[in-house]
């Protein structure tokens, strides 16, 4: 190998000049540092943080199966296999557009779009492939597990609430539901014709077969009552079809984080034809141990009473259409944990259909509520 001694000598003189001159030494250090930074930046380009934006937001409105609009947006920093999930808040948060179709594909230009039922708020989640969205959730979605990005917005403007039909019963004003809602694992249709008060003042609730399908009954007290005693006289419901449930409960659709301030008196077998227990008292959420008390309701007219006070809910069931002094309930239960406090809850009477092991319904069903009484 030929060694060029002149080139070696020139390099040695340059190196000596750098060592002797402080300015040149600083310049050399700057050049070396810049080279290192440049190489590092090229080797490790920072990953884009995933984020979601909305390009079209539906109006704010009470939900319902017939109220739909388009919601769309764009996602940044998504990885292959990730998808969008949308929730709309109307009472609880509902996955959109349907529980059986919860995933929205991200297009090559990073946009996404879907139909959604209306709500007061909307949430878009960027999720990994292993994410399993719940059909409904009580509180707003959050960043956890397989949720890698989240954006929540209010609906734009507002639409009128869903239509109801007014009715009077036991000296109170009520509103009869006329639109669909999910309950008992099914999407129930509601019809104002299924709720009426006769000449004697008795309230009738009916489940009937219409051309559009089986329809249910629901009415909602027009105002909140809060703490006090709630008495309801109910006609014979001991032999209800296993596929139907009569529910007397409170509900505050704005209080999902407080389980909707719901306490329940419910009559039915919830689809279990052979079950001996056909009634229950409870406070939400029912999955918490001790929040549900099931029992067997006897035939005949019964009076259900619930005393609601701070930290305590006392449920009692009596035979007959009145509670006389010293009368003993045939069943009672007291809850002292998780009892809700008042807010904007309203009492609701609901007669609806649940999934049943017996199969589809065959005939119309009617229940009678003789009286409602509230004592502050």
């Amino acid at each position: 190998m030929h060694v060029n001694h002149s080139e070696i000598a020139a390099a040695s003189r340059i190196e000596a000049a750098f060592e002797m001159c402080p300015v040149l030494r600083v310049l050399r250090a700057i050049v070396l540092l810049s080279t290192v930074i440049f190489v590092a930046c090229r080797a490790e380009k920072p990953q884009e943080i995933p984020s979601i934006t909305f390009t079209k937001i539906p109006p704010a409105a009470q939900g319902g199966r017939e109220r739909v609009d388009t919601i769309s947006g764009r996602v940044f920093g998504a990885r292959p296999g990730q998808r969008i999930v949308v929730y709309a808040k109307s009472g609880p948060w509902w996955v959109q557009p349907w529980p059986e179709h919860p995933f929205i594909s991200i297009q090559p230009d990073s946009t996404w779009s879907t139909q959604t039922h209306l709500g007061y708020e909307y949430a878009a989640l960027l999720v990994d492939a292993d994410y399993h969205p719940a059909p409904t959730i009580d509180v707003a979605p959050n960043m956890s597990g397989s949720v890698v990005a989240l954006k929540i917005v209010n609906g734009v403007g507002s639409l009128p609430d869903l239509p109801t039909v007014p009715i009077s019963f036991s000296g109170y004003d009520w509103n009869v539901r006329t639109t669909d809602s999910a309950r008992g694992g099914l999407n129930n249709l509601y019809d104002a014709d299924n709720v009426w008060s006769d000449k004697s003042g008795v309230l009738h609730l009916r489940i009937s077969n219409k051309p559009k399908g089986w329809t249910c009954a629901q009415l909602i007290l027009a105002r909140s009552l809060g703490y006090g005693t709630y008495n309801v006289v109910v006609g014979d419901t001991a032999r209800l079809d296993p596929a139907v449930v009569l529910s007397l409960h409170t509900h505050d659709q704005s209080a999902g984080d407080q389980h909707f301030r719901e306490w329940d008196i419910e009559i039915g077998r919830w689809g279990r034809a052979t079950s001996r227990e056909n009634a229950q008292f409870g406070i939400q959420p029912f999955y918490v141990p001790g929040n549900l008390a099931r029992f067997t309701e006897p035939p005949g007219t019964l009076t259900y009473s619930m005393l609601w006070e701070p930290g305590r809910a006392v449920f009692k069931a009596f035979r007959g259409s009145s509670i006389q002094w010293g009368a003993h309930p045939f069943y009672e239960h007291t809850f002292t944990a998780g009892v809700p406090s008042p807010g904007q809850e309203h009492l609701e009477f609901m007669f609806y259909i649940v999934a049943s092991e017996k199969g589809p319904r065959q005939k119309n069903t009617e229940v009678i509520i003789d009286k409602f009484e509230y004592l502050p």
Side-chain angles (χ1 to χ4, degrees), residues 58-95:
Q62 183 180 347
R65 191 170 71 169
E66 73 287 355
R67 282 188 158 188
V68 296
D69 202 340
T70 299
I71 187 169
S72 56
R74 185 178 296 274
V75 62
F76 300 92
R79 297 191 300 272
Q82 292 179 334
R83 294 174 289 183
I84 294 290
V85 171
V86 169
Y87 279 90
K89 182 182 181 183
S90 182
W93 291 82
W94 302 84
V95 72

Side-chain angles (χ1 to χ4, degrees), residues 89 123-124 136 227 239 248 360:
K89 182 182 181 183
T136 64
Y227 288 135
R239 299 179 183 86
L248 319 173

Side-chain angles (χ1 to χ4, degrees), residues 49-283:
I49 298 175
S51 62
I52 300 170
T53 61
F54 290 93
T55 55
K56 185 180 187 306
I57 302 171
Q62 183 180 347
R65 191 170 71 169
E66 73 287 355
R67 282 188 158 188
V68 296
D69 202 340
T70 299
I71 187 169
S72 56
R74 185 178 296 274
V75 62
F76 300 92
R79 297 191 300 272
Q82 292 179 334
R83 294 174 289 183
I84 294 290
V85 171
V86 169
Y87 279 90
K89 182 182 181 183
S90 182
W93 291 82
W94 302 84
V95 72
Q96 300 300 320
W98 298 103
E100 59 269 26
H101 299 292
F103 295 108
I104 303 155
S105 298
I106 301 171
Q107 301 304 311
D109 62 354
S110 300
T111 62
W112 56 268
S113 182
T114 185
Q115 289 289 103
T116 179
H117 298 85
L118 299 188
Y120 297 103
E121 295 179 67
Y122 302 91
L125 294 66
L126 177 64
V127 300
D128 288 328
D130 61 349
Y131 180 72
H132 299 288
T136 64
I137 51 178
D138 291 347
V139 298
N142 58 69
M143 290 280 293
S144 62
S146 299
V147 179
V148 298
L150 170 66
K151 183 75 172 181
I152 300 176
V153 294
N154 293 324
V156 176
S158 63
L159 292 179
D161 286 342
L162 290 170
T164 57
V165 175
I167 190 174
S168 294
F169 169 61
S170 283
Y172 290 88
D173 293 327
W174 307 73
N175 295 309
V176 179
R177 188 183 185 99
T178 61
T179 54
D180 314 353
S181 99
R183 189 83 177 185
L186 297 176
N187 187 69
N188 280 299
L189 309 177
Y190 290 87
D191 194 310
D193 290 342
N194 290 334
V195 181
W196 72 96
S197 179
D198 63 26
K199 294 180 180 179
S200 64
V202 170
L203 182 70
H204 297 254
L205 304 179
R206 179 177 61 190
I207 292 175
S208 61
N209 196 3
K210 298 288 185 73
K212 61 182 177 180
W214 286 100
T215 59
C216 305
Q218 180 182 2
L219 72 161
I220 305 165
L221 191 62
R223 63 188 181 95
S224 175
L225 299 177
Y227 288 135
T229 299
Y230 295 70
N231 296 325
V232 184
V233 179
V234 181
D236 191 348
T237 51
R239 299 179 183 86
L240 287 179
D241 186 296
V244 304
V245 171
L246 173 63
S247 180
L248 319 173
H249 61 265
T250 52
H251 186 81
D252 182 350
Q253 69 173 6
S254 66
D257 57 336
Q258 301 178 56
H259 308 290
F260 306 103
R261 294 191 169 95
E262 183 174 338
W263 52 258
D264 301 77
I265 300 169
E266 297 188 309
I267 304 161
R269 290 184 169 85
W270 288 268
R272 299 183 293 269
T274 58
S275 174
R276 294 185 60 188
E277 296 174 326
N278 60 351
Q280 64 186 33
F281 298 144
I283 54 175

